[in-house]
Amino acid sequence: MPRTLRPGQRSELYAVDVASGERRLVFNSSTVLFEAPNWTPGGELLVNGDGRLFRVHDGLTEIDLGGVPSINNDHVLSPDGATIFVSADDGHLYAVPLDGGASRRVSNDRGPGFHHYLHGVSPDGRTLAYIGLEHVDGRRITNVWTIPSAGGADVQVTNDEYADDGSEYSPDGKWIYFNSERAGHAQLFRIPVSSGEAEQLTVDERVNWFPHPAPDGSAIAYVSFPPGTEGHPADIEDVRLRLLSPQGEIREVATLFGGQGTMNVPSWSPDSSSFAYVEYPL
């Protein structure tokens, strides 16, 4: 079931200017819990809510998903903006023309216990990075996988029982960034697309999720939960949005009430000058 707002709660969509730190309220709603903003190449913002996908203008305009089942908050745009790739609640990935048309299932059938959660698309648009969730002997296992956006054979990038999530490509397509509990609690990592060992990028007491590389490579935006947080829950105080520079410097951008849905997917503007996020004040 899609998430809904609590009594007295609002969804507030912001765009924050990276240089100045100033934020702009783009849209808010007291009726729809919308999540996971991302941008089209033309600068239009998209969000999901109630199992559907919307364009954000003065209100929310629903996008026809061509018969795709109810979706969750994992969706990414092709680099040319013509196609939206979504994760549906049936566990599969779909490609949908953004301006309307028939949908196409991308993912393979890996059994009823396997779910695909989409987070990234390669810079050339040919490959999707997703988190594969499977249940093995009562254990919940997540790993980083890739699949051709046109359909084809899956490639497993990580193969372990650490909790992994939020897999996104670097702007040059050579790395996949993700968060993982292989350091004891969720921290940011990257791993070569070809093969190799995961490299840890953050080392602190906070619980860090969803690394989003800027299109120009200038920074990585991510969501930072308070120490001791398990998973990436909703409606948490002291959720922080941070920027990680290529030199490893961390900059605090915002503190908010939110978490799940705040910034799950690629959320940078095309020119890397700002990024979008959602908070959920009561």
Side-chain angles (χ1 to χ4, degrees), residues 95-188:
V96 184
L98 191 59
D99 290 331
S103 63
R104 169 177 57 85
R105 199 180 91 178
V106 176
S107 53
N108 299 305
D109 188 353
R110 304 188 64 85
F114 193 98
H115 278 66
H116 304 71
Y117 293 97
L118 179 64
H119 286 276
V121 58
S122 61
D124 62 8
R126 295 180 179 180
T127 312
L128 304 178
Y130 72 88
I131 297 298
L133 168 64
E134 52 189 328
H135 295 86
V136 179
D137 298 329
R139 305 189 310 279
R140 187 178 185 271
I141 298 175
T142 55
N143 277 292
V144 177
W145 296 71
T146 65
I147 188 172
S149 58
D154 304 272
V155 174
Q156 188 168 357
V157 179
T158 64
N159 187 8
D160 52 60
E161 295 194 18
Y162 300 114
D164 299 333
D165 208 339
S167 48
E168 283 189 34
Y169 283 90
S170 61
D172 61 10
K174 296 180 179 179
W175 298 85
I176 293 179
Y177 288 79
F178 65 108
N179 59 269
S180 175
E181 293 183 0
R182 63 193 62 217
H185 63 272
Q187 295 289 302
L188 305 188

Coordinates of all heavy atoms in Angstrom, one line a residue, residues 95-188:
A95 N 9.8 0.2 -18.4 CA 10.2 1.4 -19.2 C 8.9 2.0 -19.8 O 8.1 1.3 -20.4 CB 11.2 1.1 -20.3
V96 N 8.7 3.3 -19.7 CA 7.5 4.0 -20.1 C 7.9 5.3 -20.9 O 8.7 6.1 -20.3 CB 6.6 4.3 -19.0 CG1 5.3 5.0 -19.5 CG2 6.3 3.2 -18.1
P97 N 7.4 5.5 -22.1 CA 7.6 6.8 -22.7 C 7.1 7.9 -21.9 O 5.9 7.9 -21.5 CB 6.9 6.6 -24.1 CG 6.7 5.2 -24.3 CD 6.6 4.6 -22.9
L98 N 7.9 8.9 -21.6 CA 7.4 10.0 -20.7 C 6.2 10.7 -21.3 O 5.4 11.2 -20.5 CB 8.6 10.9 -20.4 CG 8.4 11.9 -19.3 CD1 8.1 11.2 -18.0 CD2 9.6 12.8 -19.1
D99 N 6.1 10.8 -22.6 CA 5.0 11.6 -23.2 C 3.9 10.7 -23.5 O 3.0 11.1 -24.3 CB 5.5 12.3 -24.4 CG 6.5 13.5 -24.1 OD1 6.3 14.0 -23.0 OD2 7.3 13.8 -24.9
G100 N 3.9 9.4 -23.0 CA 2.7 8.6 -23.3 C 3.0 7.4 -24.2 O 3.8 7.6 -25.2
G101 N 2.4 6.3 -24.0 CA 2.6 5.2 -24.8 C 2.7 3.9 -24.0 O 2.5 3.9 -22.8
A102 N 2.8 2.8 -24.7 CA 2.8 1.5 -24.1 C 4.0 1.3 -23.2 O 5.1 1.7 -23.6 CB 2.7 0.4 -25.1
S103 N 3.8 0.6 -22.1 CA 5.0 0.3 -21.2 C 5.6 -1.0 -21.7 O 5.1 -1.8 -22.4 CB 4.5 0.2 -19.8 OG 3.6 -0.9 -19.6
R104 N 6.9 -1.2 -21.2 CA 7.6 -2.4 -21.5 C 8.3 -2.9 -20.3 O 9.0 -2.2 -19.6 CB 8.7 -2.1 -22.6 CG 9.7 -3.1 -22.9 CD 10.7 -2.7 -24.0 NE 11.3 -1.5 -23.7 CZ 12.5 -1.4 -23.0 NH1 13.0 -2.5 -22.5 NH2 13.1 -0.2 -22.9
R105 N 8.1 -4.2 -20.0 CA 8.8 -4.7 -18.8 C 10.3 -5.0 -19.2 O 10.6 -5.6 -20.2 CB 8.2 -6.0 -18.3 CG 8.6 -6.4 -16.9 CD 8.0 -7.7 -16.4 NE 8.8 -8.8 -16.7 CZ 8.6 -10.1 -16.3 NH1 7.4 -10.3 -15.7 NH2 9.4 -11.0 -16.6
V106 N 11.2 -4.5 -18.3 CA 12.6 -4.6 -18.5 C 13.2 -5.8 -17.8 O 14.0 -6.5 -18.3 CB 13.4 -3.3 -18.1 CG1 14.9 -3.5 -18.2 CG2 12.9 -2.1 -18.9
S107 N 12.7 -6.1 -16.6 CA 13.4 -7.1 -15.7 C 13.0 -8.5 -16.1 O 11.9 -8.7 -16.7 CB 13.0 -6.8 -14.3 OG 11.6 -6.7 -14.1
N108 N 13.8 -9.4 -15.7 CA 13.6 -10.8 -15.9 C 12.8 -11.4 -14.7 O 12.8 -10.9 -13.6 CB 14.9 -11.5 -16.1 CG 15.7 -11.0 -17.3 OD1 15.1 -11.0 -18.4 ND2 16.9 -10.5 -17.1
D109 N 12.3 -12.6 -14.9 CA 11.6 -13.3 -13.8 C 12.6 -14.1 -13.1 O 13.0 -15.2 -13.6 CB 10.4 -14.2 -14.4 CG 9.6 -14.7 -13.3 OD1 9.9 -14.6 -12.1 OD2 8.5 -15.4 -13.7
R110 N 12.9 -13.7 -11.9 CA 13.9 -14.4 -11.1 C 13.3 -15.1 -9.9 O 13.9 -15.5 -8.9 CB 15.0 -13.5 -10.6 CG 15.7 -12.7 -11.7 CD 16.9 -11.9 -11.2 NE 17.9 -12.8 -10.6 CZ 18.9 -13.4 -11.4 NH1 18.9 -13.2 -12.7 NH2 19.7 -14.2 -10.8
G111 N 12.0 -15.4 -10.0 CA 11.2 -16.1 -9.0 C 10.4 -15.2 -8.2 O 10.6 -14.0 -8.1
P112 N 9.4 -15.7 -7.5 CA 8.4 -14.9 -6.8 C 9.0 -14.1 -5.6 O 8.5 -13.2 -5.1 CB 7.4 -15.9 -6.3 CG 8.1 -17.2 -6.3 CD 9.1 -17.2 -7.4
G113 N 10.1 -14.6 -5.0 CA 10.7 -13.9 -3.9 C 11.7 -12.9 -4.2 O 12.3 -12.3 -3.3
F114 N 11.9 -12.6 -5.5 CA 12.9 -11.6 -5.9 C 12.3 -10.3 -6.4 O 11.3 -10.3 -7.2 CB 13.8 -12.2 -7.1 CG 15.0 -11.4 -7.4 CD1 16.2 -11.8 -7.0 CD2 15.0 -10.2 -8.2 CE1 17.4 -11.1 -7.2 CE2 16.1 -9.5 -8.5 CZ 17.3 -10.0 -8.0
H115 N 12.7 -9.2 -5.8 CA 12.2 -7.9 -6.1 C 13.3 -7.0 -6.7 O 14.4 -7.0 -6.1 CB 11.5 -7.2 -4.9 CG 10.1 -7.7 -4.7 ND1 9.8 -9.0 -4.4 CD2 8.9 -7.1 -4.8 CE1 8.5 -9.1 -4.2 NE2 7.9 -8.0 -4.5
H116 N 13.0 -6.2 -7.7 CA 13.9 -5.2 -8.3 C 13.6 -3.8 -7.8 O 12.4 -3.4 -7.9 CB 13.8 -5.2 -9.8 CG 14.0 -6.6 -10.4 ND1 13.0 -7.6 -10.3 CD2 15.0 -7.0 -11.2 CE1 13.5 -8.6 -11.0 NE2 14.6 -8.3 -11.6
Y117 N 14.6 -3.1 -7.3 CA 14.4 -1.7 -6.8 C 15.4 -0.8 -7.6 O 16.6 -0.9 -7.4 CB 14.6 -1.6 -5.3 CG 13.5 -2.3 -4.5 CD1 13.7 -3.6 -4.1 CD2 12.3 -1.7 -4.3 CE1 12.7 -4.2 -3.4 CE2 11.3 -2.3 -3.6 CZ 11.5 -3.6 -3.1 OH 10.5 -4.3 -2.5
L118 N 14.9 0.0 -8.5 CA 15.7 0.8 -9.4 C 16.2 2.0 -8.8 O 15.5 2.8 -8.1 CB 14.8 1.1 -10.7 CG 15.5 1.9 -11.8 CD1 16.6 1.1 -12.4 CD2 14.5 2.3 -12.8
H119 N 17.5 2.3 -9.1 CA 18.1 3.6 -8.6 C 18.9 4.3 -9.6 O 19.1 5.5 -9.5 CB 18.9 3.3 -7.3 CG 18.1 3.0 -6.1 ND1 17.6 4.0 -5.3 CD2 17.7 1.8 -5.6 CE1 16.9 3.5 -4.3 NE2 17.0 2.2 -4.5
G120 N 19.5 3.7 -10.6 CA 20.4 4.4 -11.5 C 20.3 4.0 -13.0 O 19.9 2.8 -13.3
V121 N 20.7 4.9 -13.8 CA 20.8 4.6 -15.3 C 22.2 5.1 -15.7 O 22.7 6.1 -15.3 CB 19.7 5.2 -16.1 CG1 19.6 6.7 -15.9 CG2 19.8 4.9 -17.6
S122 N 22.9 4.3 -16.5 CA 24.2 4.7 -17.0 C 24.1 6.0 -17.8 O 23.1 6.3 -18.4 CB 24.8 3.6 -17.8 OG 24.1 3.3 -18.9
P123 N 25.2 6.7 -17.9 CA 25.2 8.0 -18.7 C 24.9 7.8 -20.2 O 24.3 8.7 -20.8 CB 26.7 8.5 -18.5 CG 27.2 7.9 -17.3 CD 26.5 6.5 -17.2
D124 N 25.1 6.6 -20.7 CA 24.7 6.4 -22.1 C 23.3 5.8 -22.3 O 22.9 5.6 -23.4 CB 25.8 5.5 -22.8 CG 25.8 4.1 -22.2 OD1 25.0 3.7 -21.3 OD2 26.8 3.3 -22.6
G125 N 22.7 5.6 -21.1 CA 21.3 5.1 -21.1 C 21.1 3.7 -21.4 O 20.0 3.2 -21.5
R126 N 22.2 2.9 -21.6 CA 22.1 1.5 -22.0 C 21.9 0.5 -20.8 O 21.5 -0.6 -21.1 CB 23.3 1.1 -22.8 CG 23.5 1.9 -24.1 CD 24.7 1.5 -24.8 NE 24.9 2.2 -26.1 CZ 25.9 2.0 -26.9 NH1 26.9 1.1 -26.6 NH2 25.9 2.7 -28.1
T127 N 22.2 0.9 -19.6 CA 22.2 0.0 -18.5 C 21.5 0.6 -17.3 O 21.7 1.8 -17.0 CB 23.6 -0.4 -18.1 OG1 24.3 -0.8 -19.3 CG2 23.6 -1.6 -17.2
L128 N 20.8 -0.2 -16.6 CA 20.1 0.2 -15.3 C 20.9 -0.5 -14.2 O 21.3 -1.6 -14.2 CB 18.7 -0.2 -15.3 CG 17.8 0.3 -16.4 CD1 16.4 -0.2 -16.3 CD2 17.8 1.8 -16.5
A129 N 21.0 0.3 -13.1 CA 21.5 -0.3 -11.8 C 20.4 -0.4 -10.8 O 19.7 0.6 -10.6 CB 22.6 0.6 -11.3
Y130 N 20.2 -1.6 -10.3 CA 19.1 -1.8 -9.3 C 19.6 -2.6 -8.1 O 20.7 -3.2 -8.2 CB 17.9 -2.5 -10.0 CG 18.1 -3.9 -10.4 CD1 17.8 -5.0 -9.5 CD2 18.6 -4.3 -11.7 CE1 17.9 -6.3 -9.8 CE2 18.7 -5.6 -12.0 CZ 18.4 -6.6 -11.1 OH 18.6 -8.0 -11.4
I131 N 18.8 -2.6 -7.1 CA 19.0 -3.5 -5.9 C 18.1 -4.7 -6.1 O 16.9 -4.5 -6.2 CB 18.7 -2.7 -4.6 CG1 19.7 -1.5 -4.5 CG2 18.8 -3.6 -3.4 CD1 21.1 -1.9 -4.4
G132 N 18.7 -5.8 -6.0 CA 17.9 -7.1 -6.1 C 17.7 -7.6 -4.6 O 18.6 -7.8 -3.9
L133 N 16.4 -7.7 -4.3 CA 16.1 -8.2 -2.9 C 15.5 -9.6 -3.1 O 14.6 -9.9 -3.8 CB 15.0 -7.3 -2.3 CG 14.3 -7.8 -1.1 CD1 15.2 -8.0 0.1 CD2 13.1 -6.9 -0.7
E134 N 16.1 -10.5 -2.3 CA 15.7 -11.9 -2.3 C 15.7 -12.4 -0.9 O 16.4 -11.9 0.0 CB 16.5 -12.8 -3.2 CG 18.0 -12.7 -2.9 CD 18.8 -13.4 -4.0 OE1 18.4 -14.4 -4.6 OE2 20.0 -12.9 -4.3
H135 N 14.8 -13.4 -0.6 CA 14.7 -14.1 0.7 C 15.3 -15.5 0.6 O 14.8 -16.3 -0.2 CB 13.3 -14.1 1.2 CG 12.7 -12.7 1.4 ND1 12.1 -12.0 0.4 CD2 12.7 -12.0 2.6 CE1 11.7 -10.8 1.0 NE2 12.1 -10.8 2.2
V136 N 16.3 -15.7 1.4 CA 17.0 -17.0 1.3 C 17.0 -17.6 2.7 O 17.6 -17.0 3.6 CB 18.4 -16.9 0.8 CG1 19.1 -18.3 0.8 CG2 18.4 -16.3 -0.6
D137 N 16.3 -18.7 2.9 CA 16.3 -19.4 4.3 C 15.9 -18.4 5.4 O 16.5 -18.4 6.4 CB 17.7 -20.0 4.6 CG 18.0 -21.1 3.6 OD1 17.1 -21.8 3.0 OD2 19.2 -21.3 3.3
G138 N 14.9 -17.6 5.1 CA 14.4 -16.6 6.1 C 15.3 -15.3 6.2 O 14.9 -14.5 7.0
R139 N 16.3 -15.2 5.4 CA 17.2 -14.0 5.5 C 16.8 -13.1 4.3 O 16.6 -13.5 3.2 CB 18.7 -14.4 5.4 CG 19.1 -15.4 6.4 CD 20.6 -15.6 6.5 NE 21.2 -15.9 5.2 CZ 21.2 -17.1 4.6 NH1 20.6 -18.1 5.2 NH2 21.8 -17.2 3.4
R140 N 16.9 -11.8 4.6 CA 16.6 -10.8 3.6 C 17.9 -10.3 3.0 O 18.7 -9.7 3.7 CB 15.8 -9.6 4.2 CG 15.3 -8.6 3.3 CD 14.5 -7.5 4.1 NE 13.9 -6.5 3.3 CZ 14.5 -5.4 2.9 NH1 15.7 -5.1 3.3 NH2 13.8 -4.5 2.2
I141 N 18.2 -10.6 1.7 CA 19.5 -10.3 1.1 C 19.3 -9.3 0.0 O 18.4 -9.5 -0.9 CB 20.1 -11.6 0.6 CG1 20.4 -12.6 1.8 CG2 21.4 -11.3 -0.1 CD1 20.9 -14.0 1.3
T142 N 20.1 -8.3 0.0 CA 20.1 -7.3 -1.0 C 21.5 -7.1 -1.6 O 22.5 -7.1 -0.9 CB 19.7 -5.9 -0.5 OG1 20.5 -5.5 0.6 CG2 18.2 -5.9 0.0
N143 N 21.5 -7.0 -3.0 CA 22.8 -6.8 -3.7 C 22.6 -5.9 -4.8 O 21.5 -5.6 -5.3 CB 23.3 -8.2 -4.2 CG 24.1 -8.9 -3.1 OD1 25.2 -8.5 -2.7 ND2 23.6 -10.1 -2.7
V144 N 23.7 -5.3 -5.3 CA 23.7 -4.4 -6.5 C 23.7 -5.3 -7.7 O 24.6 -6.2 -7.9 CB 24.9 -3.5 -6.4 CG1 24.9 -2.6 -7.7 CG2 24.9 -2.6 -5.2
W145 N 22.8 -5.0 -8.7 CA 22.8 -5.7 -10.0 C 22.7 -4.6 -11.1 O 22.3 -3.5 -10.8 CB 21.5 -6.6 -10.0 CG 21.4 -7.7 -9.1 CD1 21.2 -7.6 -7.7 CD2 21.5 -9.1 -9.4 NE1 21.1 -8.9 -7.2 CE2 21.3 -9.8 -8.2 CE3 21.6 -9.8 -10.6 CZ2 21.3 -11.2 -8.2 CZ3 21.6 -11.2 -10.6 CH2 21.5 -11.9 -9.4
T146 N 22.9 -5.1 -12.3 CA 22.7 -4.2 -13.5 C 21.9 -5.1 -14.5 O 22.0 -6.3 -14.5 CB 24.0 -3.7 -14.1 OG1 24.8 -4.8 -14.6 CG2 24.8 -2.9 -13.1
I147 N 21.3 -4.4 -15.4 CA 20.5 -5.0 -16.5 C 20.5 -4.0 -17.7 O 20.4 -2.8 -17.5 CB 19.1 -5.4 -16.1 CG1 18.4 -6.3 -17.1 CG2 18.3 -4.2 -15.7 CD1 17.1 -6.9 -16.7
P148 N 20.6 -4.5 -18.9 CA 20.4 -3.6 -20.1 C 19.1 -2.9 -20.1 O 18.1 -3.6 -19.8 CB 20.6 -4.5 -21.3 CG 21.4 -5.7 -20.8 CD 21.0 -5.9 -19.4
S149 N 19.0 -1.7 -20.3 CA 17.7 -1.0 -20.3 C 16.8 -1.4 -21.4 O 15.6 -1.3 -21.3 CB 18.0 0.6 -20.5 OG 18.7 0.8 -21.7
A150 N 17.4 -2.1 -22.5 CA 16.5 -2.7 -23.5 C 16.1 -4.1 -23.2 O 15.3 -4.7 -23.9 CB 17.3 -2.7 -24.8
G151 N 16.5 -4.6 -22.0 CA 16.2 -5.9 -21.6 C 17.4 -6.8 -22.0 O 18.2 -6.6 -22.9
G152 N 17.6 -7.9 -21.2 CA 18.7 -8.8 -21.4 C 19.1 -9.4 -20.1 O 18.4 -9.4 -19.1
A153 N 20.3 -9.9 -20.1 CA 20.8 -10.7 -18.9 C 21.2 -9.8 -17.8 O 21.9 -8.7 -18.0 CB 22.0 -11.6 -19.3
D154 N 20.9 -10.1 -16.6 CA 21.3 -9.4 -15.4 C 22.8 -9.7 -15.1 O 23.3 -10.8 -15.4 CB 20.5 -9.8 -14.2 CG 19.0 -9.7 -14.4 OD1 18.5 -8.6 -14.1 OD2 18.3 -10.7 -14.8
V155 N 23.5 -8.7 -14.5 CA 24.8 -8.9 -14.0 C 24.8 -8.6 -12.5 O 24.4 -7.5 -12.1 CB 25.8 -8.0 -14.7 CG1 27.2 -8.2 -14.1 CG2 25.9 -8.4 -16.2
Q156 N 25.3 -9.5 -11.6 CA 25.4 -9.3 -10.2 C 26.7 -8.6 -9.9 O 27.8 -9.1 -10.1 CB 25.2 -10.5 -9.4 CG 25.1 -10.3 -7.9 CD 24.6 -11.6 -7.2 OE1 24.4 -12.6 -7.8 NE2 24.5 -11.5 -5.9
V157 N 26.6 -7.4 -9.3 CA 27.8 -6.6 -9.1 C 28.4 -6.9 -7.7 O 29.6 -7.0 -7.5 CB 27.5 -5.1 -9.2 CG1 28.8 -4.2 -8.9 CG2 27.0 -4.8 -10.6
T158 N 27.5 -7.0 -6.7 CA 28.0 -7.4 -5.3 C 27.3 -8.8 -5.0 O 26.2 -9.1 -5.5 CB 27.6 -6.4 -4.2 OG1 26.1 -6.3 -4.1 CG2 28.1 -5.0 -4.5
N159 N 28.0 -9.5 -4.2 CA 27.5 -10.9 -3.9 C 27.8 -11.2 -2.5 O 28.8 -11.9 -2.2 CB 28.1 -11.9 -4.9 CG 27.4 -13.3 -4.7 OD1 26.4 -13.5 -4.0 ND2 28.0 -14.3 -5.4
D160 N 27.0 -10.7 -1.6 CA 27.3 -10.9 -0.1 C 26.0 -10.7 0.6 O 24.9 -10.5 0.0 CB 28.4 -9.9 0.4 CG 28.1 -8.5 0.0 OD1 27.0 -8.0 0.4 OD2 28.9 -7.9 -0.7
E161 N 26.0 -10.8 1.9 CA 24.8 -10.6 2.7 C 24.7 -9.3 3.5 O 23.9 -9.2 4.4 CB 24.7 -11.8 3.7 CG 24.4 -13.1 2.9 CD 24.0 -14.3 3.8 OE1 23.5 -14.0 4.9 OE2 24.0 -15.4 3.4
Y162 N 25.6 -8.4 3.1 CA 25.5 -7.0 3.7 C 24.3 -6.3 3.0 O 23.9 -6.5 1.9 CB 26.7 -6.2 3.4 CG 28.0 -6.8 3.9 CD1 29.0 -7.3 3.1 CD2 28.2 -6.8 5.3 CE1 30.2 -7.8 3.6 CE2 29.4 -7.4 5.8 CZ 30.3 -7.9 5.0 OH 31.5 -8.4 5.5
A163 N 23.6 -5.5 3.8 CA 22.5 -4.7 3.3 C 23.0 -3.6 2.4 O 23.7 -2.7 2.9 CB 21.7 -4.1 4.5
D164 N 22.7 -3.7 1.1 CA 23.1 -2.6 0.1 C 21.8 -1.9 -0.4 O 20.7 -2.5 -0.5 CB 23.8 -3.3 -1.0 CG 25.1 -4.0 -0.6 OD1 25.7 -3.6 0.4 OD2 25.5 -4.9 -1.3
D165 N 22.0 -0.7 -0.8 CA 20.9 0.0 -1.4 C 21.4 1.2 -2.2 O 22.6 1.6 -2.2 CB 19.9 0.5 -0.3 CG 18.4 0.6 -0.8 OD1 18.2 0.7 -2.1 OD2 17.5 0.6 0.0
G166 N 20.5 1.9 -3.0 CA 20.7 3.2 -3.6 C 21.8 3.2 -4.7 O 22.6 4.1 -4.7
S167 N 21.8 2.2 -5.5 CA 22.9 2.1 -6.5 C 22.7 3.1 -7.7 O 21.7 3.1 -8.4 CB 23.0 0.7 -7.1 OG 21.7 0.2 -7.5
E168 N 23.7 4.0 -7.9 CA 23.7 5.0 -9.0 C 25.1 5.0 -9.7 O 26.1 4.8 -9.0 CB 23.4 6.3 -8.4 CG 21.9 6.6 -8.1 CD 21.6 8.0 -7.8 OE1 22.3 8.9 -8.4 OE2 20.7 8.2 -7.0
Y169 N 25.0 5.4 -10.9 CA 26.3 5.5 -11.7 C 27.0 6.8 -11.5 O 26.3 7.8 -11.3 CB 25.9 5.3 -13.2 CG 25.7 3.9 -13.7 CD1 24.4 3.4 -13.7 CD2 26.7 3.1 -14.1 CE1 24.2 2.1 -14.1 CE2 26.5 1.8 -14.5 CZ 25.2 1.3 -14.5 OH 25.0 0.0 -14.9
S170 N 28.3 6.8 -11.6 CA 29.0 8.0 -11.7 C 28.8 8.7 -13.0 O 28.4 8.0 -14.0 CB 30.5 7.7 -11.4 OG 31.0 6.9 -12.5
P171 N 29.1 10.0 -13.1 CA 28.9 10.7 -14.4 C 29.7 10.1 -15.6 O 29.3 10.2 -16.7 CB 29.3 12.1 -14.1 CG 29.1 12.3 -12.7 CD 29.4 11.0 -12.1
D172 N 30.8 9.5 -15.3 CA 31.6 8.9 -16.4 C 31.3 7.4 -16.6 O 31.9 6.8 -17.5 CB 33.1 9.0 -16.1 CG 33.6 8.3 -14.8 OD1 32.8 7.6 -14.2 OD2 34.7 8.5 -14.3
G173 N 30.3 6.9 -15.8 CA 29.9 5.5 -16.0 C 30.8 4.5 -15.6 O 30.6 3.3 -15.8
K174 N 31.9 4.8 -14.9 CA 32.9 3.8 -14.5 C 32.7 3.2 -13.1 O 33.2 2.2 -12.7 CB 34.3 4.5 -14.5 CG 34.8 4.9 -15.9 CD 36.2 5.5 -15.8 CE 36.6 6.0 -17.2 NZ 38.0 6.6 -17.2
W175 N 31.8 3.9 -12.3 CA 31.6 3.5 -10.9 C 30.1 3.4 -10.6 O 29.3 4.0 -11.3 CB 32.2 4.5 -9.9 CG 33.6 4.7 -10.0 CD1 34.3 5.5 -10.8 CD2 34.6 4.0 -9.2 NE1 35.7 5.4 -10.6 CE2 35.9 4.5 -9.6 CE3 34.6 3.0 -8.2 CZ2 37.1 4.1 -9.0 CZ3 35.7 2.6 -7.6 CH2 37.0 3.1 -8.0
I176 N 29.8 2.5 -9.7 CA 28.4 2.5 -9.1 C 28.5 2.9 -7.7 O 29.3 2.3 -6.9 CB 27.7 1.1 -9.3 CG1 27.5 0.8 -10.7 CG2 26.4 1.1 -8.5 CD1 26.8 -0.5 -11.0
Y177 N 27.8 4.0 -7.3 CA 27.8 4.4 -5.9 C 26.6 3.7 -5.2 O 25.6 3.6 -5.8 CB 27.7 5.9 -5.8 CG 28.9 6.7 -6.2 CD1 29.3 6.8 -7.6 CD2 29.8 7.2 -5.3 CE1 30.4 7.5 -7.9 CE2 30.9 7.9 -5.6 CZ 31.2 8.0 -7.0 OH 32.4 8.7 -7.3
F178 N 26.8 3.4 -3.9 CA 25.7 2.8 -3.2 C 25.9 2.9 -1.7 O 27.0 3.3 -1.3 CB 25.5 1.3 -3.6 CG 26.7 0.4 -3.2 CD1 26.6 -0.5 -2.2 CD2 27.9 0.5 -3.9 CE1 27.7 -1.3 -1.9 CE2 29.0 -0.3 -3.6 CZ 28.9 -1.2 -2.6
N179 N 24.9 2.7 -0.9 CA 25.1 2.6 0.6 C 25.1 1.2 1.0 O 24.4 0.3 0.4 CB 24.1 3.5 1.3 CG 22.7 3.1 1.1 OD1 22.0 3.6 0.2 ND2 22.2 2.2 1.9
S180 N 25.8 0.9 2.1 CA 25.9 -0.5 2.5 C 26.2 -0.6 4.0 O 26.8 0.4 4.6 CB 27.1 -1.2 1.7 OG 27.3 -2.5 2.2
E181 N 25.8 -1.7 4.6 CA 26.1 -1.9 6.0 C 27.3 -2.7 6.2 O 27.6 -3.3 7.3 CB 24.9 -2.5 6.7 CG 23.7 -1.6 6.8 CD 22.5 -2.1 7.5 OE1 22.6 -3.3 8.0 OE2 21.5 -1.5 7.6
R182 N 28.2 -2.9 5.2 CA 29.4 -3.7 5.3 C 30.4 -3.0 6.3 O 31.4 -3.7 6.7 CB 30.0 -3.9 4.0 CG 30.5 -2.7 3.2 CD 30.8 -3.0 1.8 NE 29.6 -3.5 1.1 CZ 29.6 -4.4 0.2 NH1 30.7 -5.0 -0.2 NH2 28.5 -4.8 -0.4
A183 N 30.2 -1.8 6.7 CA 31.0 -1.1 7.6 C 30.5 -1.2 9.0 O 31.0 -0.5 10.0 CB 31.3 0.3 7.2
G184 N 29.4 -1.9 9.2 CA 28.7 -2.0 10.5 C 27.4 -1.4 10.6 O 26.4 -1.9 11.1
H185 N 27.3 -0.2 10.0 CA 26.0 0.5 9.7 C 26.1 1.2 8.4 O 27.2 1.3 7.8 CB 25.6 1.5 10.9 CG 26.6 2.6 11.1 ND1 27.7 2.5 11.9 CD2 26.6 3.9 10.6 CE1 28.4 3.7 11.9 NE2 27.7 4.5 11.1
A186 N 25.0 1.7 7.9 CA 25.0 2.2 6.5 C 26.0 3.4 6.3 O 25.9 4.4 7.0 CB 23.6 2.7 6.1
Q187 N 26.9 3.2 5.4 CA 27.9 4.2 4.9 C 27.9 4.3 3.4 O 27.3 3.4 2.8 CB 29.3 4.0 5.5 CG 29.4 4.0 7.0 CD 29.3 5.5 7.5 OE1 30.1 6.3 7.1 NE2 28.3 5.7 8.4
L188 N 28.5 5.2 2.8 CA 28.6 5.4 1.4 C 29.8 4.6 0.8 O 30.9 4.7 1.4 CB 28.6 6.8 0.9 CG 27.5 7.7 1.4 CD1 27.5 9.1 0.7 CD2 26.1 7.1 1.3

